[in-house]
Amino acid sequence: MTENTQTPSSPDSELPTAYAPAEVEGKLYERWVERGYFTADAASEKPAYTIVIPPPNVTGSLHLGHAFQHTLMDALTRRKRMQGYESLWLPGMDHAGIATQNKVEQQLAEEGKSRHDLGREEFVERVWQWKEEYGGKILGQMRRLGDGVDWSRERFTMDEGLSKAVQTIFKKLFDDGLIYRAERIINWCPRCLTAISDIEVEYQEDAGELVSIKYGEGEDTLVVATTRAETMLGDTAVAVHPDDERYAHLIGKQIKLPLTDRTIPVVADTHVDPEFGTGAVKVTPAHDPNDFAIGQRHGLPSMTIMDEHGVITVHGPFLGLDRFEARSAVVGALRQQGRIVAEKRPYVHSVGHCSRCSTTVEPRLSLQWWVKVETLAKAAGDAVRDGRVAIHPQEMEKRYFDWVDNLNDWCISRQLWWGHRIPVWYGPDGEVVCLGPDDEAPTGEGWTQDTDVLDTWFSSGLWPFSTLGWPAKTPDLAKFYSTDVLLTGHDIIFFWVARMMMFGLYAMDGEVPFKTIALTGLVRDERGKKMSKSFGNVVDPLDWMDKYGSDAVRFTLAKGANPGTDVPIGEDWVQASSKFANKIWNATRFALMNGATIEGELPPAEQLSATDRWILSRLNKTVAQVDAYYEDFQFSKLSEALYHFAWDEVFDWYVELSKTTFFAGGEQAKVSARVLGEVLDVMLRLLHPVVPFVTETLWTTLTGRESLVIADWPKDSAFRDEAAEAEIGSIQTLTKEVRRFRKEQGLDDKQKVPARLDLTGTVLAAHEAAIRQVLRLQPEGDSFSATATLPVAGATVALDLSGTIDVAAERKRLSKDLAAAEKEKQQAEAKLGNEAFLAKAPDNVVDKIKGRLAKAEADIARIQAQLETLPAA
């Protein structure tokens, strides 16, 4: 199975007694980068395999969510590289408009300044300086994790090439009538002072108040309920359902709006649910998206009653109040007038907050730039429906379709200074000119550029093709687009995935941006709780890397990665993965000390022992199993399969069963050493994509070859030996049974016990020496006395336990356990024999009692067997 034909290097033939990740990982990673292992060649004739990294924010640092997804992406690309693909994992960062501007504005505030003191150009220059000094911290941390990315192709969403791509697609969308400017309701952050898109609003349950207010006078009154009483100052109607007979006499009439000198109409609109509340709703077109739609249908005016800071701007006693101060003041004034019919406080309801700063979002009528998404979203939906793009796991398709099939036009303008400035110029006579990247800006008096910048997701939506050189027809674009896999969290399927699908299909003439969308869950703490600073459960993965090594963190994350489901992780699990890395290390040291080698061909099957044939059969089945799991993105299952193969089958069984062969020496020891070398070679290659550092160190020492990064991925040789697997299975059965018995007698596994083995007529006969080695069974000797006899797997194991246990005390203990089990059996039988009880008891209660009976019967049989094996007291 060893196809690797690289030129051998001259590594040290000995390994240190203990694995020290800190002494290995950093140097090893820099060697990989220096040798260009991760650099993809667009001119290569190898088939391409491409993954673009979800670009982390320039303000960010490595958190467990990054470490989780990066581990999986790295595993995919490392494996494909080993399989002979020209594997490109392209890195980069997002300029993160709001987050980065906030960082620099905070820095300026500490100096007693604002961005307005600097002016736009100087402020943007200051952000670039911040980016060079503090940005990109995460890139160094990615190296710590072992990310095999092509650093020569690193991109930034505001570098020159990507800026050109942004201008190009904006101009194309504008010319095609898919970008327009209009006054609509947007989500406004009074802290960040910008519009934010629907997907940048995080909803949480807030404790507010629900007040019911009486509108109108005399018989012409109705009651509306609201959680935002201050917005009534901007009401321009009350709406009721056209079929609601309670209000039929009011439809079309004008009623008095409290606290104002205005009257407003009662309109009939089918949007209103007559069964909800009073069946009447206040309509504030300038401060609510549903109300805006009602206003459009009925030609209602829109009154903006607060400014961009959330301060009331209408005349009267509320002028100048913050929106929350105004809420209390308005309710107080209404109460004085006897207009408050009911109050519910606290009233817990879902409230939108800015995902960047957590400020309560304010719906606000505003003039903004929009992308018309109808045709783009349909194309994004069709690409999944017709199979050009697969979503994994498939059950996530519904969430995707729910989003793209109901997508509203996308507000893409942001009232910031840091970002891609909208390439539109306005002339003195109302001219509007959109410029492409190569167009000259208009000159002359009165021409100004739009002051807004584009939503960060606009530029990151181009990521799969802009990073490869688009709009130029580059060799990279030709070789590596479409990308193969987009691996990302299910939480940004709306933010990023849909944007890339729409833009990729549009810009690349219907060619999809990626062939598979592999959606992961989110990392949570060991109790399944969301990680949050407020919960005090946030973990810095670098702390765990320092303590246990990067491989341990990676393996823990991969073991938890079931498609689309959240990933709990705790330090105990990382510690267990560290022990696994040490187990691999120690077992490989043992193998090397006993001559394990990959030199020469594997001997033919007829020269192999049953133990050798068994482990090779299991090895090939593991290769096939791991390959199948990779193709299905089952990282947890492939990690578990490798863990159990390595620890259970190779280290706990094969190595132990082979020790007698190695200790005996001779030709059979050489054969087993070659088999062990083969097994370790393949096993380390299988493990490498997930745990690259320890496997690289061990494999290069074992094989004398250059690097696992460029080694061949193992292939299933189709060697199977079911007879050998059954034979070794019999040894395992016997061993487990004897170990179980010893444990019940309070004997340590390592305690040596005299034993007589009768293996005649069984496949076990050829393995007596190995069985004695594994079970620590001494020869019977002249004074041997069989105090316990175990019939198992067609053989008999007689043990001399005299001097190792107190037979009388053990018989007394077992007799007590037997009496308890028999009592439990009697009680269960009595209940199950009671017809009255069975007639009334629920099925689950009856099933539980049947389970108790079955357990009691099994316990009785087990204890009686143990008593029979004990000698007479």
Side-chain angles (χ1 to χ4, degrees):
M1 292 179 64
T2 307
E3 318 88 358
N4 196 304
T5 57
Q6 301 162 111
T7 303
S9 58
S10 300
D12 295 335
S13 58
E14 295 183 0
L15 291 168
T17 55
Y19 177 49
E23 296 175 12
V24 171
E25 294 177 348
K27 295 176 184 177
L28 202 50
Y29 186 83
E30 292 309 315
R31 187 188 311 160
W32 290 335
V33 174
E34 288 167 7
R35 292 181 178 179
Y37 293 157
F38 305 139
T39 304
D41 181 4
S44 169
E45 293 184 0
K46 295 178 182 178
Y49 183 82
T50 316
I51 292 181
V52 291
I53 206 165
N57 287 352
V58 67
T59 59
S61 60
L62 189 74
H63 56 65
L64 274 174
H66 289 128
F68 170 55
Q69 292 179 359
H70 287 207
T71 293
L72 306 188
M73 286 184 277
D74 195 32
L76 290 173
T77 49
R78 283 179 182 269
R79 173 174 174 261
K80 285 295 183 180
R81 187 179 293 114
M82 294 172 75
Q83 287 183 313
Y85 287 80
E86 196 61 39
S87 190
L88 170 62
W89 187 19
L90 195 148
M93 291 186 299
D94 190 285
H95 66 279
I98 295 176
T100 308
Q101 178 156 323
N102 282 348
K103 286 278 188 183
V104 179
E105 290 200 76
Q106 289 166 11
Q107 196 178 64
L108 286 174
E110 292 171 3
E111 302 170 12
K113 298 178 182 177
S114 74
R115 60 177 164 135
H116 300 286
D117 295 324
L118 274 65
R120 184 168 191 143
E121 289 187 13
E122 190 176 340
F123 176 77
V124 170
E125 179 59 33
R126 180 72 175 258
V127 181
W128 277 108
Q129 291 172 10
W130 182 92
K131 185 259 180 187
E132 294 303 317
E133 186 173 355
Y134 301 105
K137 177 183 178 183
I138 194 172
L139 299 179
Q141 296 168 338
M142 287 163 56
R143 302 171 93 93
R144 278 288 312 277
L145 187 64
D147 283 5
V149 297
D150 185 345
W151 292 110
S152 71
R153 286 178 166 85
E154 180 190 337
R155 303 305 300 267
F156 179 55
T157 50
M158 282 189 59
D159 67 29
E160 183 179 355
L162 268 65
S163 294
K164 183 174 183 178
V166 167
Q167 284 185 271
T168 300
I169 201 162
F170 187 100
K171 169 73 170 170
K172 180 174 170 60
L173 288 163
F174 182 90
D175 290 347
D176 287 348
L178 296 176
I179 280 183
Y180 64 95
R181 197 180 191 212
E183 193 174 44
R184 297 227 182 131
I185 292 286
I186 48 90
N187 303 296
W188 181 264
C189 176
R191 158 65 183 78
C192 297
L193 296 180
T194 183
I196 59 176
S197 64
D198 292 343
I199 52 179
E200 291 172 303
V201 178
E202 293 182 348
Y203 288 89
Q204 63 187 47
E205 297 298 307
D206 286 358
E209 62 180 351
L210 180 69
V211 293
S212 297
I213 309 167
K214 183 171 67 174
Y215 280 31
E217 301 288 354
E219 294 183 358
D220 294 344
T221 62
L222 40 67
V223 175
V224 300
T226 182
T227 58
R228 300 163 66 217
E230 72 282 4
T231 62
M232 67 158 293
L233 301 173
D235 284 359
T236 58
V238 173
V240 298
H241 194 277
D243 299 330
D244 193 334
E245 295 180 357
R246 292 172 296 175
Y247 305 115
H249 66 290
L250 290 176
I251 294 173
K253 284 189 176 182
Q254 295 282 327
I255 62 171
K256 174 71 175 176
L257 178 65
L259 305 183
T260 74
D261 57 0
R262 295 189 291 118
T263 60
I264 57 176
V266 177
V267 299
D269 197 283
T270 55
H271 169 77
V272 180
D273 180 0
E275 302 298 324
F276 183 77
T278 64
V281 298
K282 57 191 289 301
V283 182
T284 320
H287 293 278
D288 184 274
N290 292 323
D291 293 3
F292 178 77
I294 293 174
Q296 292 286 294
R297 288 194 289 272
H298 297 276
L300 301 174
S302 297
M303 288 185 60
T304 299
I305 62 157
M306 64 182 78
D307 65 14
E308 63 270 22
H309 297 279
V311 173
I312 301 299
T313 57
V314 293
H315 297 294
F318 313 109
L319 179 65
L321 294 180
D322 171 81
R323 54 185 168 153
F324 300 118
E325 295 172 335
R327 183 171 300 170
S328 297
V330 166
V331 171
L334 290 168
R335 191 181 295 114
Q336 285 183 349
Q337 292 186 6
R339 295 265 177 187
I340 300 296
V341 176
E343 295 180 70
K344 186 174 182 180
R345 188 184 299 110
Y347 178 71
V348 178
H349 62 129
S350 183
V351 177
H353 294 258
C354 174
S355 63
R356 303 295 181 185
C357 69
S358 298
T359 300
T360 301
V361 167
E362 192 65 41
R364 186 168 186 262
L365 188 62
S366 181
L367 183 62
Q368 301 285 345
W369 285 95
W370 305 81
V371 172
K372 189 181 294 184
V373 300
E374 183 179 3
T375 57
L376 301 175
K378 182 180 183 304
D382 289 345
V384 174
R385 286 188 170 93
D386 63 24
R388 284 176 288 155
V389 177
I391 293 180
H392 189 89
Q394 192 173 3
E395 55 265 27
M396 286 287 181
E397 281 187 3
K398 183 179 184 303
R399 292 186 65 188
Y400 176 80
F401 291 136
D402 285 346
W403 179 255
V404 298
D405 292 348
N406 299 285
L407 201 57
N408 295 319
D409 284 0
W410 172 20
C411 177
I412 56 170
S413 45
R414 299 291 180 268
Q415 289 64 58
L416 304 170
W417 286 356
W418 171 245
H420 295 281
R421 194 165 175 181
I422 288 177
V424 172
W425 291 72
Y426 307 106
D429 298 317
E431 301 96 332
V432 178
V433 177
C434 180
L435 303 181
D438 301 320
D439 296 334
E440 292 288 335
T443 57
E445 189 175 347
W447 282 93
T448 58
Q449 186 177 359
D450 196 299
T451 57
D452 289 350
V453 300
L454 288 163
D455 178 11
T456 294
W457 296 102
F458 189 94
S459 51
S460 57
L462 315 181
W463 192 251
F465 52 94
S466 63
T467 51
L468 298 173
W470 186 91
K473 295 181 179 180
T474 64
D476 276 4
L477 195 64
K479 177 73 175 179
F480 297 111
Y481 190 90
S482 297
T483 68
D484 288 86
V485 177
L486 171 71
L487 189 143
T488 190
H490 63 66
D491 56 324
I492 62 171
I493 189 172
F494 316 127
F495 286 84
W496 192 44
V497 178
R499 309 302 192 206
M500 287 188 291
M501 285 285 281
M502 291 191 297
F503 280 169
L505 291 161
Y506 174 76
M508 299 299 293
D509 299 321
E511 193 174 357
V512 296
F514 23 75
K515 301 176 185 74
T516 299
I517 302 168
L519 297 171
T520 70
L522 309 179
V523 178
R524 297 183 178 271
D525 71 12
E526 63 268 32
R527 296 177 182 84
K529 193 174 184 179
K530 180 181 178 181
M531 288 192 175
S532 167
K533 290 180 181 178
S534 62
F535 296 151
N537 63 350
V538 173
V539 174
D540 184 346
L542 296 173
D543 292 342
W544 283 348
M545 289 184 209
D546 290 341
K547 196 170 181 180
Y548 302 108
S550 297
D551 281 338
V553 174
R554 290 170 61 114
F555 193 68
T556 305
L557 290 165
K559 277 186 75 176
N562 290 302
T565 60
D566 290 346
V567 183
I569 184 172
E571 186 169 0
D572 288 350
W573 305 339
V574 182
Q575 188 175 23
S577 294
S578 175
K579 290 179 180 177
F580 179 52
N582 288 324
K583 183 77 171 180
I584 302 170
W585 184 272
N586 293 331
T588 304
R589 284 188 73 248
F590 169 86
L592 290 171
M593 288 188 292
N594 284 278
T597 180
I598 64 164
E599 298 303 319
E601 295 295 323
L602 273 176
E606 57 268 20
Q607 294 181 21
L608 302 178
S609 69
T611 308
D612 292 336
R613 286 182 279 114
W614 164 74
I615 196 63
L616 290 175
S617 182
R618 292 296 309 132
L619 176 67
N620 279 283
K621 286 183 177 179
T622 302
V623 171
Q625 191 177 42
V626 168
D627 276 334
Y629 287 145
Y630 261 114
E631 295 306 312
D632 199 33
F633 302 98
Q634 297 281 359
F635 294 98
S636 177
K637 290 182 179 179
L638 71 89
S639 299
E640 288 285 352
L642 287 169
Y643 176 88
H644 290 295
F645 175 73
W647 195 305
D648 299 346
E649 297 185 299
V650 178
F651 306 148
D652 281 359
W653 285 107
Y654 181 73
V655 168
E656 288 299 317
L657 291 172
S658 300
K659 280 182 178 178
T660 53
T661 302
F662 289 132
F663 296 161
E667 286 303 313
Q668 191 56 51
K670 291 179 181 179
V671 170
S672 291
R674 177 65 186 89
V675 170
L676 181 54
E678 181 76 10
V679 170
L680 289 175
D681 170 27
V682 174
M683 184 191 75
L684 292 170
R685 284 189 277 162
L686 289 172
L687 280 164
H688 176 73
V690 179
V691 284
F693 294 108
V694 66
T695 52
E696 172 85 339
T697 306
L698 295 174
W699 187 83
T700 52
T701 304
L702 171 70
T703 66
R705 293 177 175 169
E706 183 180 346
S707 175
L708 257 178
V709 181
I710 54 173
D712 295 333
W713 181 253
K715 295 179 181 177
D716 176 7
S717 71
F719 176 82
R720 302 287 190 274
D721 195 322
E722 302 300 335
E725 290 197 40
E727 188 168 331
I728 303 305
S730 295
I731 298 176
Q732 292 172 325
T733 300
L734 182 144
T735 302
K736 289 174 182 176
E737 184 62 23
V738 174
R739 282 176 174 169
R740 183 190 63 77
F741 176 77
R742 288 173 58 128
K743 184 177 181 180
E744 290 170 348
Q745 308 308 316
L747 298 178
D748 186 88
D749 280 348
K750 295 181 180 179
Q751 186 172 349
K752 293 182 179 180
V753 177
R756 177 188 299 137
L757 304 184
D758 182 2
L759 311 176
T760 306
T762 72
V763 293
L764 302 170
H767 300 281
E768 180 169 347
I771 292 169
R772 287 185 177 276
Q773 164 69 29
V774 170
L775 288 171
R776 308 295 192 268
L777 301 179
Q778 293 178 316
E780 53 198 85
D782 295 336
S783 59
F784 179 81
S785 174
T787 59
T789 303
L790 301 175
V792 58
T796 302
V797 179
L799 303 174
D800 183 353
L801 302 179
S802 58
T804 61
I805 62 170
D806 184 334
V807 175
E810 183 64 14
R811 184 173 290 280
K812 183 177 179 181
R813 181 184 71 81
L814 290 172
S815 297
K816 183 179 178 181
D817 290 347
L818 180 61
E822 287 174 337
K823 183 179 180 181
E824 174 73 4
K825 178 186 176 185
Q826 290 169 1
Q827 290 175 341
E829 286 177 334
K831 285 191 175 182
L832 293 174
N834 186 332
E835 294 296 335
F837 169 78
L838 292 176
K840 295 179 181 179
D843 290 345
N844 64 318
V845 172
V846 175
D847 289 341
K848 186 175 181 180
I849 294 171
K850 287 179 178 178
R852 284 169 50 192
L853 175 61
K855 182 179 183 302
E857 290 173 339
D859 287 344
I860 291 169
R862 175 179 57 79
I863 295 167
Q864 286 175 338
Q866 288 177 251
L867 284 167
E868 289 172 6
T869 63
L870 291 175

